[in-house]
Amino acid sequence: MAIRVMLVDDQVLLRTGFRMVLDAQPDMEVVAEAGDGVEALQVLRSTAVDVVLMDVRMPKLDGVETTRRICADTDPPKVLILTTFDLDEYAFSGLKAGASGFMLKDVPPGELLTAIRAVHSGDAVVAPSTTRRLLDRFAPMLPSTTRQPQHKELERLTEREREVMMLVAQGLSNGEIAARLVLSEATVKTHVGRILTKLGLRDRVQVVVLAYETGLVRAGGQG
């Protein structure tokens, strides 16, 4: 079954370009479009969507608040934030709102397609190293003031799971974590799944954000 994609952007030409690229793929289909957040929420009430490509700066309702409302629903689609700048505070807010990752608007088509497939599968965060740099920059805005772990659920993690969580937050892929800890990639994937379940998190992006919020990982990527 094709990945059902929705395009949310106030620039018609940009949506048209994305549609041409996505509809040319055998495993993707653009099933809906919207020019602002209000329209996007309306369309999603009657259209089944797997992945939303979400602009952040739009009239009526911006992409961050739209993402927050989408992700608050039961079994929501995955959201990929589209941003103009690599280190954009809107992208940070989008991740906090529940987006599964973010991409630059001028990303090469191949990378965009890979990102959509990755987010749809739930396997990996998009550009984890970029996500880490983003959080490094905006870490002072996080609510934790003591910079020490305060999240009760962290106490439920085993020592190995905490170790894996720290490496996820530092931007390492499952393969890189496996090499670092001398484990199989399948074992790392199992650990990541248990971390998500124990902490009630949806994906790796939320793991990264929580690690910074609780002080498990500090700005600069160090635990």
Side-chain angles (χ1 to χ4, degrees):
M1 183 175 176
I3 301 172
R4 298 165 296 188
V5 181
M6 180 178 186
L7 307 175
V8 184
D9 197 296
D10 59 344
Q11 298 181 44
V12 177
L13 285 176
L14 193 68
R15 296 204 311 266
T16 301
F18 281 150
R19 176 183 279 275
M20 290 176 61
V21 172
L22 271 55
D23 279 346
Q25 306 305 306
D27 61 339
M28 294 185 192
E29 178 187 6
V30 176
V31 296
E33 294 186 28
D36 60 66
V38 172
E39 183 182 1
L41 294 173
Q42 293 173 341
V43 172
L44 282 171
R45 294 191 188 106
S46 59
T47 306
V49 174
D50 298 312
V51 177
V52 179
L53 293 187
M54 179 74 69
D55 187 21
V56 286
R57 305 183 188 190
M58 298 181 295
K60 297 184 181 179
L61 191 66
D62 67 33
V64 174
E65 180 58 29
T66 305
T67 296
R68 183 174 293 108
R69 296 187 190 185
I70 289 174
C71 294
D73 287 342
T74 302
D75 194 23
K78 301 295 179 64
V79 178
L80 259 179
I81 293 287
L82 295 174
T83 180
T84 305
F85 303 104
D86 194 4
L87 293 177
D88 191 322
E89 68 273 16
Y90 287 98
F92 171 79
S93 299
L95 295 180
K96 289 280 292 172
S100 295
F102 69 95
M103 302 292 292
L104 297 178
K105 280 191 174 182
D106 61 355
V107 64
E111 290 185 23
L112 177 65
L113 297 173
T114 298
I116 292 172
R117 293 184 181 108
V119 167
H120 178 251
S121 71
D123 251 353
V125 60
V126 178
S129 60
T130 306
T131 300
R132 189 188 74 196
R133 293 204 320 273
L134 184 85
L135 287 166
D136 282 348
R137 173 171 173 176
F138 293 105
M141 298 181 185
L142 293 169
S144 176
T145 54
T146 63
R147 312 308 300 159
Q148 296 297 321
Q150 298 294 324
H151 202 275
K152 286 185 178 180
E153 281 73 9
L154 288 183
E155 299 172 2
R156 301 173 58 190
L157 300 181
T158 65
E159 183 176 348
R160 176 65 86 186
E161 287 165 353
R162 286 172 68 92
E163 195 172 11
V164 170
M165 181 175 177
M166 287 177 62
L167 294 176
V168 168
Q170 290 175 35
L172 275 66
S173 67
N174 284 353
E176 291 168 335
I177 294 172
R180 178 78 64 88
L181 300 180
V182 196
L183 300 170
S184 71
E185 194 164 341
T187 298
V188 172
K189 189 171 183 178
T190 297
H191 282 310
V192 172
R194 288 174 179 165
I195 292 167
L196 295 176
T197 299
K198 287 184 177 181
L199 300 183
L201 304 177
R202 185 175 54 254
D203 54 35
R204 293 169 71 103
V205 170
Q206 291 193 338
V207 171
V208 177
V209 172
L210 181 61
Y212 276 75
E213 283 185 324
T214 59
L216 185 65
V217 171
R218 295 184 292 276
Q222 300 300 312

